[in-house]
């Protein structure tokens, strides 16, 4: 799901050349991200014509789930190489990411996707006095902390990731 600056520029340039069909469902990691209050895609997709899709963000070790039309797959697959159609209603949980962390919307213009992000059940949570001297305390959400090792960064609402 993460992209280098050059990949983002290329993706944005491609976005600007695509015809903006009425895409009501969205799934794209790009510099335009917003947080949503409520989960969008837990369990089965409820809107007619939408199916469950997922992608694993290997850089941050998170799983994202969304509901989208099968006809939108080819377009979003261009931007999200790991995008796959799910064969069940809880693909992230089945793949070892049962812990809901947040709902975000990624994308730009008329090409956007709202998705739920999931983490591993054993995502680290620690108190302030347990970090080693070589680690940095990360308060990634109110009252939620973990120790970031060298090379990891503290990401709000997610925690420590490479």
């Amino acid at each position: 799901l993460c992209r280098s600056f050059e990949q983002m520029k290329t993706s944005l340039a491609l976005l600007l050349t695509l015809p903006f069909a009425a895409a009501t469902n969205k799934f794209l990691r790009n510099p335009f991200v917003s947080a949503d209050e409520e989960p969008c895609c837990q369990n089965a997709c409820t809107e007619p014509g939408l199916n469950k899709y997922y992608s694993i963000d290997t850089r941050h070790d998170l799983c994202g789930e969304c509901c989208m039309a099968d006809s939108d797959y080819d377009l979003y697959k261009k931007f999200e190489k790991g995008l796959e159609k799910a064969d069940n209603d809880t693909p992230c949980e089945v793949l070892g990411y049962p812990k809901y962390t947040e709902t975000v919307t990624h994308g730009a213009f008329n090409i956007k996707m709202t998705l739920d992000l999931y983490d591993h059940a054993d995502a680290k949570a620690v108190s302030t006095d347990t970090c080693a001297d070589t680690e940095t305390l990360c308060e990634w959400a109110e009252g939620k902390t973990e120790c970031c090792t060298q090379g990891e960064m503290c990401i709000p609402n997610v925690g420590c990731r490479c």
Side-chain angles (χ1 to χ4, degrees):
L1 292 173
C2 293
R3 303 237 184 257
S4 71
F5 180 69
E6 287 303 314
Q7 288 171 318
M8 285 189 285
K9 285 190 337 189
T10 302
S11 295
L12 190 54
L14 181 57
L15 279 175
L16 295 172
T17 63
L18 292 172
F20 292 113
T24 57
N25 305 302
K26 305 122 180 104
F27 192 97
L28 182 63
R29 179 74 120 182
N30 140 352
F32 307 100
V33 178
S34 64
D36 296 304
E37 297 293 321
E38 298 294 322
C40 67
C41 310
Q42 289 182 332
N43 303 310
C45 297
T46 56
E47 192 174 325
L50 301 186
N51 293 300
K52 182 68 68 107
Y53 284 82
Y54 72 94
S55 182
I56 304 293
D57 176 350
T58 56
R59 183 164 188 223
H60 297 110
D61 198 21
L62 295 172
C63 181
E65 291 182 12
C66 69
C67 292
M68 82 176 185
D70 291 339
S71 60
D72 291 336
Y73 176 79
D74 289 338
L75 172 63
Y76 292 111
K77 182 71 173 180
K78 291 174 184 171
F79 301 101
E80 183 53 53
K81 299 299 181 201
L83 182 62
E84 298 294 336
K85 186 172 183 176
D87 59 6
N88 62 70
D89 293 333
T90 56
C92 290
E93 182 176 1
V94 169
L95 293 168
Y97 298 84
K99 184 177 169 186
Y100 169 79
T101 59
E102 67 179 326
T103 299
V104 295
T105 299
H106 296 162
F109 310 108
N110 291 336
I111 302 177
K112 299 178 192 171
M113 182 58 63
T114 299
L115 59 140
D116 293 333
L117 294 176
Y118 294 86
D119 203 343
H120 296 284
D122 62 351
K124 301 175 273 182
V126 297
S127 66
T128 58
D129 59 351
T130 59
C131 291
D133 291 340
T134 59
E135 297 175 323
T136 306
L137 182 66
C138 169
E139 185 173 356
W140 55 275
E142 188 174 333
K144 296 181 180 182
T145 60
E146 67 180 271
C147 297
C148 294
T149 60
Q150 186 174 1
E152 290 183 317
M153 64 182 125
C154 183
I155 301 172
N157 297 315
V158 174
C160 298
R161 295 294 185 274
C162 296

